[in-house]
Amino acid sequence: MCGIVGAVSTRNIVPVLVEGLKRLEYRGYDSCGVAVHQDNRLRRTRSTSRVAELDALVLADAVQGGTGIAHTRWATHGVPAVHNAHPHFSGDKIALVHNGIIENHDELRAELRAKGYVFESQTDTEVIAHLVHQLYDGDLFDAVQRATTRLKGAYAIAVFCRDEPQRVVGAREGSPLVLGVGAKGSGENFLASDAMALAGVTDQIVYLEEGDVVDLQLGKHWISARQADGSFERIQREVRTVHAHTGAAELGPYRHYMQKEIFEQPRAIADTLEAVAGISPELFGDGAYRIFKDIDCVLILACGTSSYAGMTAKYWLEAIAGIPCNVEIASEYRYRDSVPNPRQLIVTISQSGETADTIAALKHARSLGQAHTLTVCNVGTSAMVRECVLHFLTHAGVEIGVASTKAFTTQLVALFLLTLVLAQQRGRLSADQEAEHIKALRHLPAAVQAVLALEPQIMAWAEDFAKKENALFLGRGMHYPVALEGALKLKEISYIHAEAYPAGELKHGPLALVTSAMPVVTIAPNDALLEKLKSNLQEVRARGGELFVFADADTQIESEPGVRVIRMPEHYGALSPILHVVPLQLLAYHTACARGTDVDKPRNLAKSVTVE
């Protein structure tokens, strides 16, 4: 993985391919490359630097052609190096790029080596290129179809052949791939892992389904779908008009996209709430009323930041709606023996809607007879939305920074709405309570804006944090998941080791780590656990630890030697986690800036994780 662009055209397509890669840079990558059909041969350029350098290299090497593929790679098999970068060649005939992971690559590699194929990389991708070459008998589409029946794992591929100019073949299984239909009369057709890569080129998009193989030629394309018996059948897929939000990629006055996206949160929350006039099951789609009446518990499946949104929602769902809720890490759920419940609502959470682990967990849940499915997602055309019966779209807009910010807070808004709907259906939400909650939600954008005004104070803290190598984050109750999210943000972009604990667990082990060199970040809302939390803070001070406290105004926690306090503008009740996560985002961001890390593209990470 991470990004694919391909094209068939009569013009030099290299500028379009490179521009497509630039639009996918936000996903994170460690190498990139482009290959074209030029002068009846395969030509390619690869780099372990940024796409801008690749652009300069293709110009210097005069790489140009009407048929080509391009790729940004996030390393899985093999270190980030030019010889492992895509596109991969098989001899002088086949060029191929690939997102995903091939699980049976060792078996196929041994088989192909026995047939005389020589491998130049450590990647699983090169196995696919040689397999297509070995199966090729004059028809690339047929060779790719046959090759996919041998592959186990997840993949999106784009491939072309020296002997068939003006033809590119793509295939997908477990990793996203779209077909872009060029303007009428142009004859052009395109492939990409994300429609955003084709913004400005075409807005006519076909979302390929699992098992699809697509053939692109000048002025025509067709799709075959793999059937249960392994055969392929020609099918039609809907062509949709998709307007990619290219304007969202402009930095404006901000230093990084992450900073921009932190400050976009009031607007993102307002946009997410725009269509919410009241609490109603229809917020989650047709048939929601019937499904919500039939359920007796909730299972949330998610990964990373989205799983912390789910953990926060568990507190809401059980306290407000009175419905049992479990939260599972998606990558673990599908590999353990669980007890299925056909009356359980399966809720998946994903910014991209393409997270491979979460999609696989969703399919596993359905295979166990759990048909009631709902997704909270930021991309309406994603696989997750198509796979679930119900959905709620957050309107965070394009999120480019790898470390999620506005996607997280809008997920929390969506999950709070779900809580209110289920509370209403279970007779636990009066009209007065509904009105109060709606009022609080409407005020959220202004409340978040007030928190953002704390940035100068947080910047001062960040200067000290930048000198540290470890940190602890503490929270209690529904603020414990917020502490987890704060620790994740810090480690993701500043590379400071950070852990989070429920504050009450401090004396059960983590207290052994506390010294004057270990900053302890504490979330201190004025809630029922405040006095317990104050006792935990004293435990830290007694061991010489240095406290950094985000406290509600009326908590009576004062700054003193060893205790630094930033006061939140207001206490926000059940919605407090949404406000308290914002200063933690800012702390991580400014600490990373002070340490000079690549904030938007942290090392080893990708934005959309489409492999297991």
Side-chain angles (χ1 to χ4, degrees), residues 323-341:
I323 189 168
C325 176
N326 285 315
V327 183
E328 297 242 17
I329 301 299
S331 57
E332 292 293 321
Y333 170 71
R334 64 182 293 215
Y335 293 115
R336 73 174 188 85
D337 293 329
S338 58
V339 180
N341 176 359

Side-chain angles (χ1 to χ4, degrees), residues 143-340:
V144 172
Q145 285 185 141
R146 289 196 286 153
T148 61
T149 65
R150 299 289 314 280
L151 302 178
K152 296 178 182 177
Y155 57 82
I157 61 174
V159 55
F160 71 90
C161 177
R162 179 201 64 197
D163 297 342
E164 296 184 73
Q166 300 177 327
R167 189 182 201 186
V168 172
V169 175
R172 72 151 294 188
E173 180 74 47
S175 198
L177 193 66
V178 303
L179 159 69
V181 181
K184 190 173 182 179
S186 70
E188 297 179 332
N189 285 302
F190 305 90
L191 278 179
S193 51
D194 188 324
M196 189 177 182
L198 304 179
V201 178
T202 180
D203 61 2
Q204 299 300 294
I205 302 296
V206 177
Y207 289 89
L208 301 177
E209 301 289 342
E210 299 286 86
D212 282 358
V213 181
V214 58
D215 193 344
L216 279 65
Q217 299 186 40
L218 278 178
K220 57 185 177 182
H221 66 269
W222 53 83
I223 301 169
S224 287
R226 188 171 62 247
Q227 306 301 300
D229 62 0
S231 65
F232 287 85
E233 182 178 311
R234 186 76 58 86
I235 52 97
Q236 294 288 328
R237 298 275 186 227
E238 178 187 1
V239 180
R240 307 185 189 187
T241 300
V242 176
H243 299 293
H245 301 288
T246 56
E250 300 300 326
L251 257 179
Y254 297 100
R255 187 173 170 188
H256 298 93
Y257 287 110
M258 182 179 177
Q259 184 187 30
K260 175 176 183 278
E261 288 153 10
I262 290 171
F263 277 82
E264 286 176 340
Q265 287 177 112
R267 169 52 58 191
I269 291 170
D271 289 346
T272 299
L273 290 168
E274 185 175 8
V276 180
I279 302 306
S280 147
E282 284 68 34
L283 290 171
F284 296 87
D286 295 339
Y289 178 85
R290 175 186 55 80
I291 289 174
F292 291 164
K293 279 292 187 186
D294 190 48
I295 65 169
D296 60 12
C297 61
V298 176
L299 173 62
I300 297 176
L301 303 172
C303 299
T305 286
S306 295
S307 72
Y308 300 149
M311 289 174 66
T312 307
K314 175 182 171 70
Y315 287 92
W316 290 336
L317 286 162
E318 295 196 345
I320 299 173
I323 189 168
C325 176
N326 285 315
V327 183
E328 297 242 17
I329 301 299
S331 57
E332 292 293 321
Y333 170 71
R334 64 182 293 215
Y335 293 115
R336 73 174 188 85
D337 293 329
S338 58
V339 180

Side-chain angles (χ1 to χ4, degrees), residues 536-549:
N536 304 140
L537 300 188
Q538 290 305 314
E539 293 168 359
V540 173
R541 287 301 300 128
R543 275 77 179 177
E546 189 173 11
L547 286 160
F548 294 78
V549 185

Side-chain angles (χ1 to χ4, degrees), residues 48 135 285 396:
T48 54
L135 294 170

